[in-house]
Amino acid sequence: MSVGTDHDTAAFAVATLRRWWEQVGSLAYPKAEQLLITADAGGSNGYRVRAWKTELARLAAETGLAITVCHLPPGPPSGTGSSIGCSARSR
């Protein structure tokens, strides 16, 4: 869990990912070349939000990781199954 006061949720979310990568991920997976992120499709880390994409691209450039984001729907429509959509990768 991360707690912060940043008004820019996209920047906060990517800062949290960056901190996880630096403190945990890079140590646990030193040979990793890719990172898969699952996120909800709404809010500031939605697939249409430019700031989210820009911040992720910056993280990809800093780490050298190919980053793929799969957006989960906020909730499946009544009477249907859940579906998952993946956005383009950042490199």
Side-chain angles (χ1 to χ4, degrees):
M1 174 165 57
S2 292
V3 178
T5 58
D6 195 322
H7 70 280
D8 184 351
T9 307
F12 175 74
V14 174
T16 300
L17 291 168
R18 180 179 288 108
R19 191 168 35 257
W20 174 84
W21 178 253
E22 291 170 353
Q23 296 176 2
V24 178
S26 64
L27 300 174
Y29 308 100
K31 296 180 181 179
E33 297 177 359
Q34 302 175 49
L35 180 63
L36 174 64
I37 299 169
T38 57
D40 64 357
S44 294
N45 46 329
Y47 63 94
R48 293 183 180 172
V49 180
R50 176 165 281 164
W52 169 244
K53 294 177 184 181
T54 301
E55 293 295 328
L56 282 175
R58 188 172 295 138
L59 177 62
E62 290 171 9
T63 61
L65 294 168
I67 298 177
T68 302
V69 180
C70 288
H71 284 94
L72 304 174
S78 179
T80 64
S82 177
S83 63
I84 299 174
C86 291
S87 66
R89 296 187 333 190
S90 297
R91 186 137 226 204

